[in-house]
């Protein structure tokens, strides 16, 4: 049977008149209905571990906008928590975790087989979503890439330059690589369980890939993504994988070939013309409107949206932002972006 879901068609390499569209962090604080459900859950982590409410916030942007894909509502930092790290969120500041800087911190982590004890509510969220989503909407599961997850586990928080993780990588390479390997294996099991529960695509978020340069980029961004993608494809050959090595710059070139991902997600630091020529030649790309347009709106949003759709119109493309939508975004600007994408051929 021919595939009818627009997102899966793009991932299979089909060039479409109008690209499928969804948005990173589409379930989030810019939506009043999200804020209401989050208040009902109590806090962010309680929302992540409550399957009914997590499914509800996942569905909210689908109901409001009719996006072509829904992304499971969860967080990349649930994997460290499932491996035994303490995790909490400080309102207005972000995540905090117990740190991993010495061998005993690593030795105290749980084995990979035990992650499902913590993560099983996430799989239940996926099961609810695969029942409740409209038949044309694709369900995306996700995880953080090992390097990005490790930066939080090592520093115990978000850092502007990932300094503590780079320091450990240089000073205790064996410990750093053991941590990356544990996260890699946990991520394979986590994504496989999401797929078995009904996820149709998985995305690997390497938000801090841009701070790895040269050989380190190959070893700690490309290689773990290749290992995870290969394992997923071995177990679930029909499941497409999206890779997001954010701010990789020239590292985007050849990333699909060297990792085996079906689609490369682009941040907005690369121009769509540059990426069409150098990255889209190897297959589907996703991106890459600056999320600031969701705050500022107006003609600039329309012009930039059209420029991106046009630049990528000769190959497979999934329209998206270059990074997550921010809490100060105006929900009406999201509608304007969608209308612009869906009507660009008539403009
Ligand atoms: O995209 C989606 O709608 C799906 C859900 C999703 C969330 N986080 C929900 C969330 C996804 C895919 C993520 C990924 C994630 N989480 C990444 C990678 C992508 C990226 O943004 O670079 C990272 C680095 C994290 C870690 C994380 N989670 C941070 C640093 C923060 C705090 C910063 C912030 O925006 O507040 C979070 C919290 C978080 N994750 C929120 C949401 C909706 C906001 C929490 C809230 O409601 O208070």
């Amino acid at each position: 049977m021919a595939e009818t879901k627009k997102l899966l068609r793009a991932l299979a390499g089909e060039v479409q008149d109008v690209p499928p569209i969804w948005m990173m962090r589409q379930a989030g604080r810019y939506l009043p209905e999200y804020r209401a459900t989050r208040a009902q859950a109590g806090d962010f982590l309680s929302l992540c571990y409550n399957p009914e409410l997590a499914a509800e916030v996942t569905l909210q942007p689908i109901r409001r906008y009719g996006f072509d894909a829904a992304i499971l509502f969860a967080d990349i930092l649930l994997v460290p928590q499932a491996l035994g790290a303490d995790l909490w969120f400080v309102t207005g500041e972000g995540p905090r975790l117990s740190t991993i800087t010495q061998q005993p911190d690593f030795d105290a982590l749980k084995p990979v087989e035990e992650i499902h004890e913590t993560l099983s509510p996430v799989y239940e969220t996926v099961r609810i979503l695969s029942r409740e989503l409209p038949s044309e909407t694709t369900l995306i599961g996700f995880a953080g890439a090992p390097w990005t997850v490790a930066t939080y586990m090592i520093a115990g928080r978000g850092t502007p330059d990932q300094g503590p993780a780079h320091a450990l990588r240089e000073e205790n390479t064996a410990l750093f690589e053991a941590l990356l390997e544990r996260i890699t294996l946990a991520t394979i099991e986590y994504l496989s369980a999401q797929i078995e529960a009904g996820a149709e695509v998985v995305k690997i978020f390497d938000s801090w890939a841009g701070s790895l340069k040269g050989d380190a980029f190959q070893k700690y961004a490309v290689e773990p993504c290749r290992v995870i993608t290969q394992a997923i494809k071995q177990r679930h050959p029909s499941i497409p994988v999206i890779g997001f090595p954010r701010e990789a710059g020239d590292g985007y070139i050849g990333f699909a070939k060297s990792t085996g991902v079906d689609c490369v997600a682009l941040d907005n630091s690369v121009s769509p013309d540059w990426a069409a020529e150098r990255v889209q030649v190897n297959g589907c790309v996703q991106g890459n409107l600056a999320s600031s347009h969701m705050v500022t709106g107006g003609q600039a949003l329309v012009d930039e949206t059209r420029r991106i759709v046009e630049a990528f119109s000769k190959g497979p493309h999934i329209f998206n932002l270059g990074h997550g939508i921010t809490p100060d975004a105006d929900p009406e600007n999201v509608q304007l972006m969608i209308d612009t994408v869906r009507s660009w051929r008539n403009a």
Side-chain angles (χ1 to χ4, degrees):
M1 206 184 76
E3 180 52 60
T4 53
K5 297 190 180 194
K6 275 182 78 69
L7 193 101
L8 293 176
R9 282 162 49 199
L11 288 168
E14 186 180 319
V15 185
Q16 300 177 63
D17 278 352
V18 169
I21 177 168
W22 68 281
M23 214 172 49
M24 282 185 268
R25 292 272 172 98
Q26 61 191 18
R29 288 162 290 182
Y30 73 106
L31 289 179
E33 58 269 37
Y34 171 85
R35 297 195 295 270
T37 309
R38 188 179 178 285
Q40 192 188 336
D43 58 48
F44 173 67
L45 282 176
S46 309
L47 179 54
C48 291
Y49 288 118
N50 182 320
E52 278 74 28
L53 296 184
E56 166 59 22
V57 294
T58 307
L59 290 164
Q60 285 168 351
I62 308 305
R63 287 192 206 112
R64 187 191 265 256
Y65 298 114
F67 283 117
D68 295 293
I71 183 158
L72 161 70
F73 189 85
D75 198 85
I76 66 165
L77 299 178
L78 304 187
V79 166
Q81 190 174 37
L83 284 170
D86 294 327
L87 171 68
W88 66 104
F89 279 80
V90 180
T91 309
E93 290 188 36
R96 295 288 183 275
L97 300 90
S98 46
T99 59
I100 306 228
T101 55
Q102 311 280 338
Q103 190 67 38
D105 305 328
F106 177 78
D107 294 339
L109 290 178
K110 293 184 192 171
V112 169
E113 303 78 65
E114 288 177 26
I115 61 167
H116 304 302
E117 278 167 37
T118 303
L119 296 170
S120 59
V122 177
Y123 313 145
E124 182 56 21
T125 306
V126 175
R127 279 190 286 272
I128 297 172
L129 287 167
S130 60
R131 283 197 303 270
E132 295 194 359
L133 276 169
S135 60
E136 67 275 16
T137 315
T138 302
L139 178 56
I140 304 174
F142 74 92
W147 160 249
T148 288
V149 172
T151 66
Y152 289 94
M153 292 181 82
I154 294 163
R157 58 194 299 158
T159 46
D161 57 359
Q162 297 73 61
H166 286 294
L168 186 69
R169 164 169 92 73
E170 276 157 26
E171 286 153 21
N172 192 343
T173 310
L175 177 60
F176 171 79
E177 291 187 349
L179 177 61
L180 239 64
E181 189 186 12
R182 183 73 58 90
I183 302 167
T184 300
L185 297 176
T187 302
I188 292 167
E189 297 310 319
Y190 181 46
L191 291 175
S192 296
Q194 291 180 31
I195 293 164
E196 279 147 29
E200 301 171 281
V201 174
V202 293
K203 177 166 173 186
I204 303 167
F205 284 86
D206 210 350
S207 304
W208 299 118
S211 78
L212 292 167
K213 305 292 177 201
D215 189 42
F217 180 79
Q218 292 303 319
K219 268 168 96 171
Y220 305 126
V222 173
E223 183 59 14
C225 186
R226 187 190 69 77
V227 169
I228 294 166
T229 304
Q230 192 181 24
I232 295 296
K233 300 252 170 213
Q234 236 154 38
R235 295 187 199 181
H236 306 283
S238 66
I239 297 292
V241 178
I242 304 174
F244 182 34
R246 193 170 72 89
E247 308 230 323
D250 285 345
Y252 281 123
I253 301 170
F255 189 83
K257 273 198 173 150
S258 52
T259 59
V261 299
D262 302 86
C263 173
V264 180
L266 303 162
D267 67 81
N268 51 279
S269 72
V270 294
S271 89
D273 292 317
W274 178 91
E277 199 179 308
R278 292 175 178 76
V279 188
Q280 200 186 26
V281 285
N282 295 326
C284 189
V285 293
Q286 175 180 282
N288 71 334
L289 182 69
S291 45
S292 57
H293 286 291
M294 296 302 102
V295 181
T296 52
Q299 193 60 39
L301 181 166
V302 173
D303 292 346
E304 189 59 16
T305 299
R306 281 196 194 134
R307 189 166 87 91
I308 291 168
V309 183
E310 194 164 348
F312 291 126
S313 64
K314 292 172 197 70
H317 176 217
I318 298 166
F319 194 91
N320 205 304
L321 302 177
H323 200 192
I325 188 168
T326 51
D328 54 346
D330 182 344
E332 291 195 12
N333 290 333
V334 176
Q335 190 62 58
L336 179 60
M337 168 183 73
I338 295 169
D339 293 344
T340 305
V341 171
R342 293 195 170 148
S343 66
W344 83 279
R345 293 250 173 214
N346 313 318

